[in-house]
């Protein structure tokens, strides 16, 4: 079987097992906080506290004022909501095979679905925070326009990009457990490199540096969320960045699928 044929089997396997994927994702979401008094409420508390801390530090402590002519808290929340989704999906997807090692060892189980299970599990929390962002924007007078339907598209962008990365990282972490810590460091740096808490127009005097920041695929997603909530631009108005994003995502998915397929035969032995 050629490499192209092997890669083509991935979306087919995911589609054929869509019912199982959704059931596992729902169960994963419910059991993640099982045993704690507040249960799944913890999934929402931590991101909310993070937003409040950033808002207090920048708006109250540093007197940040507005960002790109929008109230800082609105600018922050509309940008950090997709970041939370990406962060949870990447962390969960990376450790999917390790966490579900008992399923990996079953010969008949399609382990290719496990990274997607984790990404969908993260999507449940994301839908709640999209609603929170929408309510917050309305409270500040930024009422939704028809462009808000793009949230579906940009959520899918985040989903696809996260899943593409997870097929590579979930396979590699089985053999190199330090990758989990490396990803945590990259995420800590990435939230500042994306520009989420600061306006990229601050780099207007450094055009080359600005272009480098925009090469980050998450920048496209974060900008898209703000376009949907605040600016009311459509994604095809940024058609060059749209093409760039999907080319990068496609390449990462192809590489991730290749790595996953090549290492899959050794998973059960190592785990």
């Amino acid at each position: 079987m050629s490499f192209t044929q092997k890669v083509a089997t991935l979306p087919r396997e995911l589609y054929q097992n869509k019912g199982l994927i959704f059931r596992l994702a729902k169960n994963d979401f419910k059991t993640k906080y099982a045993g704690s008094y507040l249960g799944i409420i913890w999934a929402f508390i931590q991101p909310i506290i993070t937003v409040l801390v950033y808002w207090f530090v920048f708006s109250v402590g540093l007197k940040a004022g507005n960002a790109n002519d929008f109230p800082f808290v609105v600018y922050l929340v509309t940008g950090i909501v997709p970041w939370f989704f990406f962060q949870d999906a990447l962390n969960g997807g990376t450790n999917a095979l390790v966490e579900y090692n008992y399923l990996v060892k079953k010969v008949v189980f399609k382990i290719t679905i496990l990274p997607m299970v984790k990404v969908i599990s993260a999507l449940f929390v994301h839908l709640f925070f999209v609603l929170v962002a929408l309510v917050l924007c309305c409270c500040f007078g930024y009422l939704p326009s028809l462009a808000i339907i793009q949230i579906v598209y940009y959520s899918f962008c985040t989903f696809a990009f996260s899943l593409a990365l997870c097929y590579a990282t979930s396979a590699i972490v089985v053999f190199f457990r330090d990758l989990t810590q490396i990803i945590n460091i990259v995420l800590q740096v990435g939230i500042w490199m994306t520009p989420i808490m600061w306006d990229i127009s601050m780099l207007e005097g450094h055009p080359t540096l600005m272009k480098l920041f925009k090469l980050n695929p998450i920048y496209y997603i974060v900008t898209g969320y703000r376009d949907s909530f605040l600016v009311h631009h459509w994604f095809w108005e940024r058609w060059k960045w749209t093409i760039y994003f999907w080319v990068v995502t496609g390449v990462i998915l192809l590489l991730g699928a290749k790595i996953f397929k090549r290492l899959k035969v050794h998973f059960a032995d190592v785990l």
Side-chain angles (χ1 to χ4, degrees), residues 6 9 13 112 256-265:
K6 288 181 180 179
T9 62
E13 286 180 0
T112 50
K258 183 177 182 179
I259 293 170
F260 194 95
K261 291 288 185 181
R262 179 165 294 183
L263 298 179
K264 185 170 70 170
V265 294

Side-chain angles (χ1 to χ4, degrees), residues 180-244:
T180 300
Q181 305 305 322
I182 294 172
I183 288 175
N184 287 333
I185 294 173
V186 170
L187 288 172
Q188 288 176 11
V189 176
I191 194 171
W192 298 99
M193 300 295 286
T194 299
I196 290 175
M197 285 165 284
W198 55 281
D199 185 3
I200 199 170
S201 63
M202 296 168 62
L203 298 177
E204 284 182 348
H206 307 277
T208 303
L209 189 59
M210 182 183 288
K211 287 181 180 179
L212 287 175
F213 272 89
K214 289 183 177 181
L215 289 176
N216 177 0
I218 301 298
Y219 170 81
Y220 170 77
I221 293 171
V222 169
T223 302
Y225 270 71
R226 287 174 175 149
D227 283 347
S228 303
F229 281 112
L230 304 172
V231 186
H232 309 310
H233 283 172
W234 293 94
F235 71 90
W236 57 76
E237 296 180 51
R238 303 181 188 276
W239 62 273
K240 290 182 180 178
W241 288 111
T242 298
I243 293 173
Y244 167 77

